[in-house]
Amino acid sequence: MKRPKTGGGPKPSSPSPAEKAILDNLGGGGRPSLEGICGGIDTANLSESQPSISSDLPSTSSDLPSTSSDLPDSGKLKRKMTILELEERNLSFENEKSQEEIKKIKDERDLIRIQKSFYEFKIQILVNWHPEVAVQMLHSNKM
């Protein structure tokens, strides 16, 4: 109802004998002849079919049914589980990245501490061996 109506046009030609055979083959038996793509999105109602993490999923793997035949809609659950697995993997990568950044910051902090000790040691040597230079440096820093 939301989509605009299409304009008429000439009546399509009848199917050829080959097309008719294919159509008869697809439509027989009273069962669905076509299936959607597993994990695909139904564009007829896009707002409901967008991937989302819902609270109706089992919280642990032990809560999952043992076989896919136990599931009311196994394709939908598989899609949700895939999304959960991807999110878990992304969180794991982010955690590893954060741990590496923490390690890098700690290493940088240790390097700064070592440099500070080195310069304090150099200042001590300067004060002990050349006190007049140390006094001159102190006066120049005050200005």
Side-chain angles (χ1 to χ4, degrees), residues 82-141:
T82 302
I83 291 170
L84 286 174
E85 290 167 355
L86 289 173
E87 286 184 354
E88 183 178 324
R89 204 155 133 211
N90 283 343
L91 287 173
S92 175
F93 287 138
E94 286 179 23
N95 187 27
E96 288 177 22
K97 183 179 175 184
S98 296
Q99 294 300 321
E100 289 295 320
E101 288 176 5
I102 289 170
K103 184 182 180 303
K104 181 181 174 186
I105 290 169
K106 286 181 178 179
D107 289 345
E108 289 173 352
R109 182 188 64 197
D110 290 344
L111 177 63
I112 290 170
R113 285 181 179 161
I114 291 169
Q115 288 174 336
K116 180 184 173 192
S117 296
F118 172 75
Y119 287 116
E120 286 174 346
F121 180 70
K122 283 184 87 170
I123 289 172
Q124 272 301 6
I125 291 173
L126 183 65
V127 168
N128 290 339
W129 290 91
H130 302 285
E132 67 282 353
V133 175
V135 169
Q136 218 174 26
M137 285 175 51
L138 286 173
H139 285 303
S140 66
N141 283 338

Short mmCIF file of all heavy atoms in Angstrom, two decimals, residues 82-141:
data_model
loop_
_atom_site.label_atom_id
_atom_site.label_comp_id
_atom_site.label_asym_id
_atom_site.label_seq_id
_atom_site.Cartn_x
_atom_site.Cartn_y
_atom_site.Cartn_z
N THR A 82 25.04 -15.90 15.17
CA THR A 82 26.18 -15.44 14.39
C THR A 82 26.51 -14.00 14.76
O THR A 82 27.67 -13.65 14.94
CB THR A 82 25.87 -15.55 12.89
OG1 THR A 82 25.57 -16.91 12.59
CG2 THR A 82 27.05 -15.10 12.06
N ILE A 83 25.50 -13.17 14.92
CA ILE A 83 25.72 -11.79 15.31
C ILE A 83 26.35 -11.74 16.70
O ILE A 83 27.29 -10.99 16.94
CB ILE A 83 24.40 -10.99 15.26
CG1 ILE A 83 23.95 -10.81 13.81
CG2 ILE A 83 24.55 -9.63 15.92
CD1 ILE A 83 22.56 -10.26 13.65
N LEU A 84 25.84 -12.56 17.61
CA LEU A 84 26.41 -12.60 18.96
C LEU A 84 27.87 -13.05 18.92
O LEU A 84 28.72 -12.49 19.62
CB LEU A 84 25.61 -13.53 19.86
CG LEU A 84 24.26 -13.02 20.33
CD1 LEU A 84 23.51 -14.12 21.08
CD2 LEU A 84 24.42 -11.82 21.22
N GLU A 85 28.14 -14.07 18.10
CA GLU A 85 29.52 -14.55 18.00
C GLU A 85 30.44 -13.47 17.45
O GLU A 85 31.56 -13.28 17.92
CB GLU A 85 29.57 -15.80 17.12
CG GLU A 85 28.94 -17.01 17.77
CD GLU A 85 28.71 -18.16 16.79
OE1 GLU A 85 28.95 -17.99 15.58
OE2 GLU A 85 28.27 -19.22 17.26
N LEU A 86 29.97 -12.73 16.45
CA LEU A 86 30.77 -11.65 15.87
C LEU A 86 31.01 -10.54 16.88
O LEU A 86 32.12 -10.01 16.99
CB LEU A 86 30.09 -11.09 14.62
CG LEU A 86 30.10 -12.01 13.40
CD1 LEU A 86 29.25 -11.42 12.29
CD2 LEU A 86 31.52 -12.25 12.91
N GLU A 87 29.97 -10.19 17.64
CA GLU A 87 30.14 -9.17 18.66
C GLU A 87 31.11 -9.62 19.74
O GLU A 87 31.95 -8.86 20.20
CB GLU A 87 28.79 -8.80 19.27
CG GLU A 87 27.93 -7.96 18.35
CD GLU A 87 26.63 -7.52 18.99
OE1 GLU A 87 26.32 -7.94 20.12
OE2 GLU A 87 25.92 -6.73 18.36
N GLU A 88 31.02 -10.90 20.11
CA GLU A 88 31.94 -11.44 21.12
C GLU A 88 33.38 -11.40 20.59
O GLU A 88 34.30 -11.03 21.30
CB GLU A 88 31.55 -12.88 21.46
CG GLU A 88 32.39 -13.50 22.54
CD GLU A 88 31.92 -14.91 22.89
OE1 GLU A 88 30.70 -15.16 22.87
OE2 GLU A 88 32.79 -15.75 23.16
N ARG A 89 33.55 -11.74 19.32
CA ARG A 89 34.87 -11.71 18.72
C ARG A 89 35.42 -10.27 18.67
O ARG A 89 36.59 -10.04 18.97
CB ARG A 89 34.77 -12.27 17.30
CG ARG A 89 36.04 -12.83 16.78
CD ARG A 89 35.73 -13.87 15.72
NE ARG A 89 36.55 -13.67 14.57
CZ ARG A 89 36.21 -13.94 13.34
NH1 ARG A 89 35.02 -14.42 13.10
NH2 ARG A 89 37.03 -13.77 12.36
N ASN A 90 34.56 -9.33 18.29
CA ASN A 90 34.98 -7.92 18.26
C ASN A 90 35.38 -7.45 19.65
O ASN A 90 36.38 -6.75 19.80
CB ASN A 90 33.86 -7.03 17.71
CG ASN A 90 33.74 -7.12 16.20
OD1 ASN A 90 34.64 -7.59 15.53
ND2 ASN A 90 32.61 -6.70 15.68
N LEU A 91 34.61 -7.82 20.67
CA LEU A 91 34.95 -7.43 22.04
C LEU A 91 36.28 -8.05 22.45
O LEU A 91 37.08 -7.40 23.13
CB LEU A 91 33.84 -7.83 23.00
CG LEU A 91 32.56 -7.01 22.92
CD1 LEU A 91 31.49 -7.62 23.81
CD2 LEU A 91 32.81 -5.57 23.31
N SER A 92 36.51 -9.28 22.04
CA SER A 92 37.77 -9.94 22.37
C SER A 92 38.95 -9.20 21.72
O SER A 92 39.97 -8.97 22.36
CB SER A 92 37.72 -11.39 21.88
OG SER A 92 38.96 -12.01 22.09
N PHE A 93 38.78 -8.81 20.44
CA PHE A 93 39.83 -8.05 19.76
C PHE A 93 40.05 -6.70 20.43
O PHE A 93 41.19 -6.26 20.60
CB PHE A 93 39.50 -7.86 18.28
CG PHE A 93 39.65 -9.11 17.45
CD1 PHE A 93 38.71 -9.42 16.49
CD2 PHE A 93 40.73 -9.95 17.62
CE1 PHE A 93 38.84 -10.57 15.73
CE2 PHE A 93 40.87 -11.10 16.87
CZ PHE A 93 39.92 -11.41 15.91
N GLU A 94 38.96 -6.03 20.80
CA GLU A 94 39.09 -4.74 21.47
C GLU A 94 39.80 -4.90 22.81
O GLU A 94 40.62 -4.06 23.20
CB GLU A 94 37.71 -4.10 21.68
CG GLU A 94 37.10 -3.54 20.41
CD GLU A 94 35.74 -2.93 20.64
OE1 GLU A 94 35.42 -2.54 21.78
OE2 GLU A 94 34.98 -2.84 19.67
N ASN A 95 39.51 -5.98 23.53
CA ASN A 95 40.15 -6.26 24.81
C ASN A 95 41.66 -6.48 24.61
O ASN A 95 42.47 -5.92 25.34
CB ASN A 95 39.51 -7.47 25.48
CG ASN A 95 40.03 -7.70 26.87
OD1 ASN A 95 40.46 -6.78 27.55
ND2 ASN A 95 40.02 -8.94 27.31
N GLU A 96 42.01 -7.27 23.58
CA GLU A 96 43.43 -7.50 23.29
C GLU A 96 44.13 -6.19 22.94
O GLU A 96 45.24 -5.93 23.39
CB GLU A 96 43.58 -8.50 22.14
CG GLU A 96 43.23 -9.92 22.51
CD GLU A 96 43.32 -10.86 21.32
OE1 GLU A 96 44.03 -10.54 20.34
OE2 GLU A 96 42.69 -11.92 21.37
N LYS A 97 43.45 -5.37 22.14
CA LYS A 97 44.03 -4.08 21.74
C LYS A 97 44.23 -3.19 22.97
O LYS A 97 45.27 -2.55 23.12
CB LYS A 97 43.10 -3.40 20.73
CG LYS A 97 43.64 -2.10 20.20
CD LYS A 97 42.69 -1.48 19.19
CE LYS A 97 43.16 -0.13 18.75
NZ LYS A 97 42.21 0.53 17.85
N SER A 98 43.24 -3.17 23.85
CA SER A 98 43.35 -2.37 25.08
C SER A 98 44.51 -2.87 25.94
O SER A 98 45.26 -2.06 26.51
CB SER A 98 42.05 -2.42 25.87
OG SER A 98 41.00 -1.84 25.16
N GLN A 99 44.66 -4.19 26.06
CA GLN A 99 45.76 -4.75 26.85
C GLN A 99 47.11 -4.34 26.26
O GLN A 99 48.04 -4.02 26.99
CB GLN A 99 45.64 -6.28 26.93
CG GLN A 99 44.43 -6.77 27.70
CD GLN A 99 44.42 -6.28 29.14
OE1 GLN A 99 45.45 -6.22 29.79
NE2 GLN A 99 43.24 -5.94 29.63
N GLU A 100 47.21 -4.37 24.93
CA GLU A 100 48.45 -3.94 24.27
C GLU A 100 48.72 -2.46 24.52
O GLU A 100 49.86 -2.06 24.76
CB GLU A 100 48.38 -4.22 22.76
CG GLU A 100 48.45 -5.68 22.40
CD GLU A 100 49.79 -6.31 22.75
OE1 GLU A 100 50.83 -5.66 22.56
OE2 GLU A 100 49.79 -7.46 23.22
N GLU A 101 47.67 -1.64 24.47
CA GLU A 101 47.84 -0.21 24.73
C GLU A 101 48.27 0.04 26.17
O GLU A 101 49.13 0.89 26.43
CB GLU A 101 46.55 0.54 24.42
CG GLU A 101 46.25 0.65 22.94
CD GLU A 101 44.93 1.32 22.63
OE1 GLU A 101 44.25 1.80 23.56
OE2 GLU A 101 44.56 1.36 21.45
N ILE A 102 47.70 -0.71 27.11
CA ILE A 102 48.09 -0.58 28.52
C ILE A 102 49.57 -0.95 28.68
O ILE A 102 50.33 -0.25 29.35
CB ILE A 102 47.19 -1.46 29.41
CG1 ILE A 102 45.78 -0.86 29.48
CG2 ILE A 102 47.78 -1.62 30.81
CD1 ILE A 102 44.75 -1.77 30.13
N LYS A 103 49.97 -2.05 28.03
CA LYS A 103 51.38 -2.47 28.10
C LYS A 103 52.29 -1.39 27.52
O LYS A 103 53.33 -1.07 28.10
CB LYS A 103 51.57 -3.79 27.35
CG LYS A 103 52.98 -4.36 27.45
CD LYS A 103 53.09 -5.62 26.64
CE LYS A 103 54.46 -6.23 26.70
NZ LYS A 103 55.55 -5.37 26.30
N LYS A 104 51.89 -0.82 26.39
CA LYS A 104 52.69 0.24 25.76
C LYS A 104 52.81 1.44 26.68
O LYS A 104 53.90 2.01 26.84
CB LYS A 104 52.04 0.64 24.44
CG LYS A 104 52.79 1.71 23.69
CD LYS A 104 52.08 2.07 22.41
CE LYS A 104 52.74 3.24 21.73
NZ LYS A 104 51.99 3.70 20.57
N ILE A 105 51.73 1.85 27.31
CA ILE A 105 51.75 3.00 28.22
C ILE A 105 52.65 2.71 29.42
O ILE A 105 53.42 3.57 29.85
CB ILE A 105 50.32 3.38 28.66
CG1 ILE A 105 49.56 3.97 27.46
CG2 ILE A 105 50.33 4.34 29.83
CD1 ILE A 105 48.08 4.14 27.69
N LYS A 106 52.57 1.49 29.95
CA LYS A 106 53.44 1.13 31.08
C LYS A 106 54.90 1.16 30.67
O LYS A 106 55.76 1.63 31.43
CB LYS A 106 53.06 -0.26 31.62
CG LYS A 106 51.78 -0.27 32.41
CD LYS A 106 51.45 -1.65 32.94
CE LYS A 106 50.19 -1.64 33.77
NZ LYS A 106 49.84 -2.97 34.28
N ASP A 107 55.20 0.66 29.47
CA ASP A 107 56.58 0.69 28.97
C ASP A 107 57.07 2.13 28.81
O ASP A 107 58.21 2.46 29.16
CB ASP A 107 56.70 -0.05 27.64
CG ASP A 107 56.56 -1.56 27.79
OD1 ASP A 107 56.64 -2.06 28.94
OD2 ASP A 107 56.36 -2.24 26.77
N GLU A 108 56.19 3.00 28.27
CA GLU A 108 56.56 4.41 28.12
C GLU A 108 56.79 5.06 29.48
O GLU A 108 57.72 5.85 29.65
CB GLU A 108 55.46 5.16 27.35
CG GLU A 108 55.41 4.79 25.88
CD GLU A 108 54.23 5.40 25.16
OE1 GLU A 108 53.34 5.99 25.82
OE2 GLU A 108 54.18 5.28 23.92
N ARG A 109 55.95 4.72 30.46
CA ARG A 109 56.11 5.26 31.81
C ARG A 109 57.44 4.81 32.40
O ARG A 109 58.18 5.62 32.99
CB ARG A 109 54.94 4.81 32.70
CG ARG A 109 55.02 5.36 34.12
CD ARG A 109 53.98 4.75 35.01
NE ARG A 109 54.28 3.32 35.12
CZ ARG A 109 53.42 2.41 35.55
NH1 ARG A 109 52.21 2.75 35.89
NH2 ARG A 109 53.76 1.15 35.63
N ASP A 110 57.79 3.54 32.22
CA ASP A 110 59.06 3.03 32.72
C ASP A 110 60.24 3.73 32.04
O ASP A 110 61.24 4.07 32.70
CB ASP A 110 59.16 1.52 32.50
CG ASP A 110 58.21 0.73 33.39
OD1 ASP A 110 57.69 1.31 34.38
OD2 ASP A 110 57.96 -0.45 33.08
N LEU A 111 60.11 3.97 30.74
CA LEU A 111 61.16 4.67 30.01
C LEU A 111 61.35 6.09 30.55
O LEU A 111 62.48 6.55 30.76
CB LEU A 111 60.85 4.71 28.51
CG LEU A 111 61.84 5.47 27.65
CD1 LEU A 111 63.22 4.81 27.68
CD2 LEU A 111 61.33 5.57 26.22
N ILE A 112 60.24 6.77 30.80
CA ILE A 112 60.32 8.13 31.35
C ILE A 112 60.97 8.12 32.73
O ILE A 112 61.78 8.99 33.05
CB ILE A 112 58.91 8.77 31.39
CG1 ILE A 112 58.44 9.06 29.96
CG2 ILE A 112 58.91 10.04 32.24
CD1 ILE A 112 56.99 9.46 29.86
N ARG A 113 60.63 7.13 33.55
CA ARG A 113 61.26 7.03 34.88
C ARG A 113 62.77 6.81 34.76
O ARG A 113 63.56 7.40 35.50
CB ARG A 113 60.63 5.88 35.67
CG ARG A 113 59.27 6.20 36.21
CD ARG A 113 58.71 5.04 37.00
NE ARG A 113 57.39 5.37 37.52
CZ ARG A 113 56.52 4.49 37.93
NH1 ARG A 113 56.80 3.20 37.89
NH2 ARG A 113 55.35 4.86 38.38
N ILE A 114 63.17 5.96 33.81
CA ILE A 114 64.61 5.70 33.61
C ILE A 114 65.30 6.97 33.12
O ILE A 114 66.40 7.32 33.61
CB ILE A 114 64.80 4.53 32.62
CG1 ILE A 114 64.35 3.22 33.27
CG2 ILE A 114 66.25 4.43 32.16
CD1 ILE A 114 64.26 2.06 32.31
N GLN A 115 64.66 7.68 32.18
CA GLN A 115 65.25 8.93 31.69
C GLN A 115 65.36 9.95 32.81
O GLN A 115 66.37 10.66 32.91
CB GLN A 115 64.40 9.50 30.54
CG GLN A 115 64.53 8.70 29.26
CD GLN A 115 63.58 9.18 28.18
OE1 GLN A 115 62.54 9.77 28.47
NE2 GLN A 115 63.92 8.91 26.93
N LYS A 116 64.33 10.02 33.65
CA LYS A 116 64.36 10.95 34.78
C LYS A 116 65.53 10.62 35.71
O LYS A 116 66.29 11.51 36.12
CB LYS A 116 63.05 10.89 35.56
CG LYS A 116 63.00 11.82 36.74
CD LYS A 116 61.71 11.64 37.51
CE LYS A 116 61.75 12.46 38.79
NZ LYS A 116 60.67 12.13 39.69
N SER A 117 65.70 9.34 36.01
CA SER A 117 66.82 8.93 36.88
C SER A 117 68.16 9.26 36.22
O SER A 117 69.10 9.72 36.88
CB SER A 117 66.75 7.42 37.15
OG SER A 117 65.60 7.10 37.86
N PHE A 118 68.26 9.04 34.93
CA PHE A 118 69.49 9.34 34.20
C PHE A 118 69.83 10.83 34.31
O PHE A 118 70.97 11.20 34.62
CB PHE A 118 69.34 8.91 32.74
CG PHE A 118 70.46 9.33 31.85
CD1 PHE A 118 71.68 8.68 31.90
CD2 PHE A 118 70.31 10.38 30.96
CE1 PHE A 118 72.73 9.07 31.07
CE2 PHE A 118 71.35 10.78 30.14
CZ PHE A 118 72.56 10.12 30.19
N TYR A 119 68.82 11.69 34.05
CA TYR A 119 69.08 13.13 34.11
C TYR A 119 69.34 13.61 35.54
O TYR A 119 70.16 14.50 35.76
CB TYR A 119 67.94 13.92 33.45
CG TYR A 119 67.97 13.78 31.95
CD1 TYR A 119 66.94 13.16 31.26
CD2 TYR A 119 69.05 14.26 31.21
CE1 TYR A 119 66.97 13.03 29.88
CE2 TYR A 119 69.10 14.13 29.83
CZ TYR A 119 68.06 13.51 29.18
OH TYR A 119 68.11 13.38 27.82
N GLU A 120 68.68 13.01 36.51
CA GLU A 120 68.98 13.36 37.91
C GLU A 120 70.42 12.99 38.25
O GLU A 120 71.12 13.73 38.94
CB GLU A 120 68.00 12.67 38.86
CG GLU A 120 66.61 13.26 38.84
CD GLU A 120 65.61 12.48 39.68
OE1 GLU A 120 65.90 11.32 40.07
OE2 GLU A 120 64.52 13.01 39.92
N PHE A 121 70.87 11.84 37.75
CA PHE A 121 72.24 11.40 37.97
C PHE A 121 73.23 12.37 37.29
O PHE A 121 74.24 12.74 37.88
CB PHE A 121 72.42 9.97 37.44
CG PHE A 121 73.80 9.42 37.62
CD1 PHE A 121 74.27 9.09 38.89
CD2 PHE A 121 74.64 9.24 36.53
CE1 PHE A 121 75.54 8.58 39.06
CE2 PHE A 121 75.91 8.73 36.70
CZ PHE A 121 76.37 8.40 37.97
N LYS A 122 72.91 12.78 36.06
CA LYS A 122 73.78 13.74 35.37
C LYS A 122 73.85 15.07 36.11
O LYS A 122 74.91 15.69 36.22
CB LYS A 122 73.28 13.96 33.93
CG LYS A 122 73.62 12.83 32.99
CD LYS A 122 73.19 13.13 31.58
CE LYS A 122 74.30 13.89 30.90
NZ LYS A 122 74.09 14.03 29.45
N ILE A 123 72.70 15.51 36.66
CA ILE A 123 72.69 16.76 37.43
C ILE A 123 73.55 16.61 38.68
O ILE A 123 74.30 17.53 39.05
CB ILE A 123 71.24 17.17 37.78
CG1 ILE A 123 70.53 17.63 36.51
CG2 ILE A 123 71.21 18.27 38.83
CD1 ILE A 123 69.04 17.88 36.69
N GLN A 124 73.47 15.47 39.34
CA GLN A 124 74.30 15.22 40.53
C GLN A 124 75.79 15.29 40.19
O GLN A 124 76.59 15.88 40.92
CB GLN A 124 74.00 13.85 41.14
CG GLN A 124 72.89 13.81 42.14
CD GLN A 124 73.14 14.73 43.33
OE1 GLN A 124 74.11 15.50 43.41
NE2 GLN A 124 72.25 14.68 44.27
N ILE A 125 76.15 14.67 39.06
CA ILE A 125 77.56 14.72 38.63
C ILE A 125 77.96 16.17 38.35
O ILE A 125 79.04 16.62 38.77
CB ILE A 125 77.78 13.84 37.38
CG1 ILE A 125 77.64 12.37 37.76
CG2 ILE A 125 79.14 14.11 36.74
CD1 ILE A 125 77.68 11.42 36.59
N LEU A 126 77.08 16.90 37.66
CA LEU A 126 77.37 18.30 37.33
C LEU A 126 77.53 19.13 38.59
O LEU A 126 78.48 19.92 38.71
CB LEU A 126 76.24 18.87 36.46
CG LEU A 126 76.41 20.29 35.97
CD1 LEU A 126 77.60 20.39 35.02
CD2 LEU A 126 75.15 20.77 35.29
N VAL A 127 76.64 18.94 39.56
CA VAL A 127 76.71 19.70 40.82
C VAL A 127 77.99 19.34 41.57
O VAL A 127 78.66 20.22 42.12
CB VAL A 127 75.45 19.44 41.69
CG1 VAL A 127 75.64 19.97 43.10
CG2 VAL A 127 74.23 20.05 41.04
N ASN A 128 78.35 18.08 41.59
CA ASN A 128 79.55 17.64 42.33
C ASN A 128 80.84 18.10 41.66
O ASN A 128 81.80 18.47 42.34
CB ASN A 128 79.56 16.13 42.51
CG ASN A 128 78.49 15.66 43.47
OD1 ASN A 128 78.00 16.44 44.29
ND2 ASN A 128 78.10 14.40 43.36
N TRP A 129 80.89 18.06 40.33
CA TRP A 129 82.12 18.36 39.64
C TRP A 129 82.23 19.81 39.17
O TRP A 129 83.33 20.34 39.06
CB TRP A 129 82.29 17.42 38.44
CG TRP A 129 82.59 16.01 38.88
CD1 TRP A 129 81.69 15.04 39.13
CD2 TRP A 129 83.85 15.47 39.16
NE1 TRP A 129 82.30 13.90 39.54
CE2 TRP A 129 83.66 14.13 39.57
CE3 TRP A 129 85.17 15.96 39.12
CZ2 TRP A 129 84.71 13.28 39.92
CZ3 TRP A 129 86.21 15.11 39.47
CH2 TRP A 129 85.97 13.78 39.87
N HIS A 130 81.09 20.42 38.89
CA HIS A 130 81.10 21.81 38.39
C HIS A 130 79.96 22.59 39.04
O HIS A 130 78.96 22.92 38.40
CB HIS A 130 80.96 21.85 36.87
CG HIS A 130 82.01 21.10 36.14
ND1 HIS A 130 83.30 21.60 36.00
CD2 HIS A 130 82.00 19.90 35.51
CE1 HIS A 130 84.02 20.73 35.31
NE2 HIS A 130 83.26 19.69 35.01
N PRO A 131 80.08 22.92 40.32
CA PRO A 131 78.99 23.61 41.01
C PRO A 131 78.68 24.98 40.41
O PRO A 131 77.53 25.41 40.43
CB PRO A 131 79.47 23.73 42.45
CG PRO A 131 80.92 23.41 42.43
CD PRO A 131 81.21 22.66 41.20
N GLU A 132 79.68 25.66 39.84
CA GLU A 132 79.44 26.99 39.26
C GLU A 132 78.50 26.92 38.05
O GLU A 132 77.65 27.79 37.85
CB GLU A 132 80.75 27.68 38.86
CG GLU A 132 81.52 27.06 37.73
CD GLU A 132 82.34 25.81 38.08
OE1 GLU A 132 82.44 25.45 39.27
OE2 GLU A 132 82.87 25.20 37.16
N VAL A 133 78.58 25.83 37.27
CA VAL A 133 77.68 25.65 36.12
C VAL A 133 76.26 25.39 36.62
O VAL A 133 75.29 25.92 36.08
CB VAL A 133 78.18 24.51 35.21
CG1 VAL A 133 77.19 24.23 34.09
CG2 VAL A 133 79.55 24.82 34.64
N ALA A 134 76.12 24.60 37.67
CA ALA A 134 74.81 24.31 38.24
C ALA A 134 74.15 25.57 38.75
O ALA A 134 72.95 25.79 38.53
CB ALA A 134 74.93 23.26 39.34
N VAL A 135 74.92 26.43 39.44
CA VAL A 135 74.40 27.69 39.96
C VAL A 135 73.96 28.57 38.79
O VAL A 135 72.89 29.19 38.81
CB VAL A 135 75.43 28.41 40.85
CG1 VAL A 135 75.01 29.82 41.16
CG2 VAL A 135 75.70 27.61 42.11
N GLN A 136 74.78 28.61 37.74
CA GLN A 136 74.44 29.41 36.55
C GLN A 136 73.13 28.91 35.91
O GLN A 136 72.29 29.70 35.50
CB GLN A 136 75.59 29.29 35.55
CG GLN A 136 75.89 30.55 34.82
CD GLN A 136 77.15 30.35 33.96
OE1 GLN A 136 77.50 29.25 33.55
NE2 GLN A 136 77.83 31.44 33.71
N MET A 137 72.96 27.61 35.84
CA MET A 137 71.74 27.03 35.25
C MET A 137 70.52 27.39 36.10
O MET A 137 69.45 27.71 35.57
CB MET A 137 71.87 25.50 35.13
CG MET A 137 72.77 25.06 34.01
SD MET A 137 73.03 23.29 33.94
CE MET A 137 71.41 22.63 33.97
N LEU A 138 70.67 27.37 37.42
CA LEU A 138 69.55 27.70 38.31
C LEU A 138 69.14 29.15 38.12
O LEU A 138 67.97 29.47 38.08
CB LEU A 138 69.90 27.41 39.76
CG LEU A 138 69.93 25.94 40.17
CD1 LEU A 138 70.46 25.80 41.60
CD2 LEU A 138 68.55 25.36 40.07
N HIS A 139 70.11 30.05 38.00
CA HIS A 139 69.80 31.47 37.81
C HIS A 139 69.14 31.73 36.47
O HIS A 139 68.23 32.53 36.36
CB HIS A 139 71.08 32.32 37.94
CG HIS A 139 71.55 32.48 39.35
ND1 HIS A 139 70.75 33.01 40.35
CD2 HIS A 139 72.74 32.16 39.95
CE1 HIS A 139 71.41 33.01 41.49
NE2 HIS A 139 72.63 32.52 41.29
N SER A 140 69.56 31.02 35.43
CA SER A 140 68.98 31.23 34.11
C SER A 140 67.54 30.69 34.03
O SER A 140 66.70 31.22 33.32
CB SER A 140 69.84 30.60 33.01
OG SER A 140 69.84 29.19 33.15
N ASN A 141 67.23 29.68 34.81
CA ASN A 141 65.87 29.12 34.83
C ASN A 141 64.92 30.00 35.59
O ASN A 141 63.71 29.98 35.34
CB ASN A 141 65.85 27.70 35.42
CG ASN A 141 66.34 26.66 34.44
OD1 ASN A 141 66.31 26.89 33.24
ND2 ASN A 141 66.77 25.53 34.94
#
